[in-house]
Amino acid sequence: MVGFKNRYMVMEVFMDPNREQVGVDPIIITQFNVNKAIRDSILVNFGECGLGSAIGPFLVKYVNPVTNLCIIRISREDYQKVWAAITMVRSIGNYPVVFNMLDLSGSIKACKTAALRCEESKFEQFKLMVGDRLSTTDINRMNSNIEKIKCLEH
């Protein structure tokens, strides 16, 4: 018996820093928000048939609201369609965003490696920015996010 062939995307979500924050709270990136934005984009750009074919194995497996990194699982047959729909996402909940593809892989192991590398480099950059004001809460939060990535499975 052959298992389903999947692709895993490591994506980074960039929020528009030039947006006026008057009266609008900054959005927190969650699995639900990312999932809804991508599904809406597939529906708008590829119709109900396109959404129906891509929706089966589609899953947002991991989202880090601090670094805005997410891991998305999709089928091998539909990854190009979903990738195209992701590039057309312009907002998440009225907040302008842009997705950046960091890695595309065929296994969760390679995806975890790429995501860990990215998270660790962002944490090192954060430590350099903050300097001696780094709290134990920040360190614990980043370590827990790194542990979540290490625990990912199919």
Side-chain angles (χ1 to χ4, degrees), residues 12 30 33 43-44 67 70 88 97 109-110 127 135 143 152:
E12 187 175 24
T30 63
N33 291 343
L43 181 63
V44 167
T67 61
C70 57
M88 294 181 221
V97 296
K109 185 177 180 181
K127 285 197 293 189
S135 68
N143 287 335
L152 286 178

Side-chain angles (χ1 to χ4, degrees), residues 11-138:
M11 307 286 288
E12 187 175 24
V13 182
F14 289 115
M15 294 195 229
D16 188 2
N18 298 323
R19 175 153 177 155
E20 290 290 326
Q21 297 283 331
V22 179
V24 177
D25 294 329
I27 192 159
I28 297 172
I29 302 296
T30 63
Q31 287 181 329
F32 177 76
N33 291 343
V34 173
N35 190 353
K36 183 173 180 347
I38 295 171
R39 284 180 187 224
D40 290 347
S41 180
I42 295 170
L43 181 63
V44 167
N45 296 300
F46 297 102
E48 290 179 2
C49 186
L51 180 63
S53 69
I55 209 74
F58 175 77
L59 179 67
V60 178
K61 291 190 72 72
Y62 169 79
V63 173
N64 185 341
V66 177
T67 61
N68 296 334
L69 188 79
C70 57
I71 297 174
I72 301 167
R73 182 189 72 192
I74 49 180
S75 72
R76 182 172 68 174
E77 293 80 24
D78 295 320
Y79 84 92
Q80 291 175 331
K81 183 189 314 178
V82 175
W83 189 0
I86 289 172
T87 61
M88 294 181 221
V89 171
R90 293 291 167 239
S91 66
I92 294 178
N94 297 330
Y95 203 87
V97 296
V98 176
F99 282 84
N100 180 32
M101 169 82 78
L102 298 175
D103 188 58
L104 174 68
S105 60
S107 70
I108 190 71
K109 185 177 180 181
C111 175
K112 287 191 318 189
T113 304
L116 283 171
R117 209 174 357 164
C118 181
E119 289 281 47
E120 288 168 353
S121 67
K122 283 184 175 235
F123 186 53
E124 290 300 319
Q125 182 181 15
F126 178 72
K127 285 197 293 189
L128 289 173
M129 276 181 19
V130 174
D132 59 348
R133 294 177 291 153
L134 187 66
S135 68
T136 57
T137 307
D138 293 331

